[in-house]
Amino acid sequence: MKAVAVLLLVVVAAASAAKSKRLVSLHEETWTQLLKGEWMVEFHAPWCPACKDLQKSWNAFADMSTEIGIKVAEVDVTINPGLSGRFLVTALPTIYHVKDGVFRFYSGPRDKTEFISFVEEKKWAHIEPVPSYKHPNSAQMGVVAVFFKLSMAVRDLHNHLVDNVGVPSGASYAIFAGITLALGCVLGFFIVMIIDNVFPTAGAPAPKKEQKKKEKKAEASQGPQQEEGSSSEDAARNRKGSEKKAAASPKSEGKKKK
C-alpha cells in the first residue's frame, strides 16, 4: 500500500509539473509576438526555487488562456540572456502584462485565480506602463540586450578556457582584463580624435575665412591711421613755414628803416 501511495504522489507531482500545451516559449527571434494582442509573460531560470514553485500555477493559468482571451508565455533567461537585458529582469521570476505593445510589470499574488482576475477585471489598467525609454522594443534597450549577450558569451568563453582547455582561472581573468584595457585605449583614442575634430580647442588655427576677415579689419583700421599721420605731417610743415616767415619779417622791417 505504501508503494502504491508513493507512486500516486509521484504521478500527481509529475502531472502538476507538466508543461501546458498552451504555454508559449519565447526566444530572441520570436519575442516580438508580444507586441500584438494581450499577453502575460514570465521570466524564469531552471535553478530558481521561486520559479519552480510558480510553475504549477503558471501552467494552470496557461490552460485557461483561451477561455479568458489571452496568451501566456515564458522566457528562460539562461537560454535568452539578451531578453533578460531587454526587459531589465533583475529578479526571478519576473512577470509582465502586455496589451497591444504596452508593457506593465505584474507584482500581485502568484496564483492562478489572481492571474485570471487580473486579466478579466482589467486590473492592469491601474498600473503605470513601462516608460518609453525602458520599452523593450526601443533602440536603447536593444543596445542593453547586446551587452547582456556579450557578457554571457564572455562568461561561456571563460568557462570553456578553464574547464576544457585547462587554463588557470587567474590567467583567464588576466587575459580578459588585458583585452578590456586594450579595447578601452583604442576606443578612447577614437573618442578623443572625434571630439577634437568636432569641437576644436582654442589654440587650433582659425579657418581661412576668419583669417581673411581679420586681415580686412586690420587694413580698414590702418587706413584712418595713415590719414591722421599725413595730416599731422602737413600741419608740421605749415608751422615751420609760418615760423620762417615770422623770422624773416623783422629783417625786412629793418631794411625799410635804413
Side-chain angles (χ1 to χ4, degrees):
M1 292 295 294
K2 289 184 178 180
V4 174
V6 171
L7 182 60
L8 288 174
L9 289 174
V10 171
V11 171
V12 171
S16 63
K19 184 176 178 180
S20 172
K21 294 181 180 179
R22 296 179 179 177
L23 184 62
V24 181
S25 295
L26 296 177
H27 304 279
E28 301 276 359
E29 298 80 15
T30 61
W31 77 268
T32 52
Q33 295 179 30
L34 296 173
L35 301 177
K36 295 180 181 180
E38 188 172 5
W39 292 75
M40 289 279 283
V41 56
E42 175 220 4
F43 293 82
H44 66 88
W47 47 261
C48 171
C51 300
K52 293 178 181 178
D53 294 338
L54 177 61
Q55 290 307 304
K56 180 180 177 181
S57 298
W58 195 251
N59 282 283
F61 175 50
D63 288 334
M64 296 292 296
S65 59
T66 303
E67 286 77 2
I68 60 178
I70 192 173
K71 293 181 180 180
V72 180
E74 65 171 356
V75 175
D76 187 345
V77 296
T78 60
I79 302 174
N80 306 281
L83 292 183
S84 64
R86 188 180 289 275
F87 285 84
L88 287 180
V89 177
T90 57
L92 294 174
T94 294
I95 301 174
Y96 279 98
H97 174 271
V98 192
K99 178 68 173 177
D100 297 328
V102 179
F103 291 79
R104 291 176 173 86
F105 179 74
Y106 176 83
S107 58
R110 297 168 183 175
D111 181 76
K112 169 190 168 183
T113 305
E114 292 294 335
F115 294 145
I116 293 173
S117 64
F118 181 80
V119 175
E120 290 183 334
E121 299 175 15
K122 296 184 178 181
K123 295 180 181 179
W124 50 265
H126 304 289
I127 300 176
E128 192 72 20
V130 172
S132 58
Y133 66 91
K134 288 185 179 180
H135 194 280
N137 201 32
S138 62
Q140 55 269 24
M141 298 312 298
V143 174
V144 174
V146 171
F147 278 107
F148 267 70
K149 287 192 285 187
L150 180 62
S151 65
M152 293 298 292
V154 170
R155 189 196 68 176
D156 293 341
L157 179 58
H158 167 74
N159 293 335
H160 173 72
L161 292 175
V162 174
D163 298 335
N164 299 330
V165 181
V167 177
S169 180
S172 177
Y173 285 126
I175 291 171
F176 285 113
I179 294 173
T180 302
L181 290 174
L183 291 176
C185 292
V186 173
L187 182 61
F189 170 77
F190 281 108
I191 290 174
V192 171
M193 185 174 63
I194 292 171
I195 292 175
D196 284 342
N197 290 329
V198 177
F199 305 104
T201 58
K208 293 182 179 180
K209 292 183 179 179
E210 294 182 0
Q211 289 181 352
K212 289 181 179 180
K213 289 181 180 179
K214 290 181 179 180
E215 291 175 358
K216 289 181 180 179
K217 289 181 179 179
E219 291 176 358
S221 61
Q222 287 177 359
Q225 292 179 358
Q226 291 177 355
E227 292 177 359
E228 291 177 0
S230 59
S231 60
S232 60
E233 289 177 359
D234 294 338
R237 290 174 184 174
N238 293 333
R239 288 178 184 175
K240 288 181 180 180
S242 59
E243 288 176 358
K244 288 180 180 180
K245 289 180 180 180
S249 59
K251 292 180 181 181
S252 60
E253 290 179 357
K255 288 179 181 181
K256 287 179 181 180
K257 289 179 179 179
K258 290 178 180 181

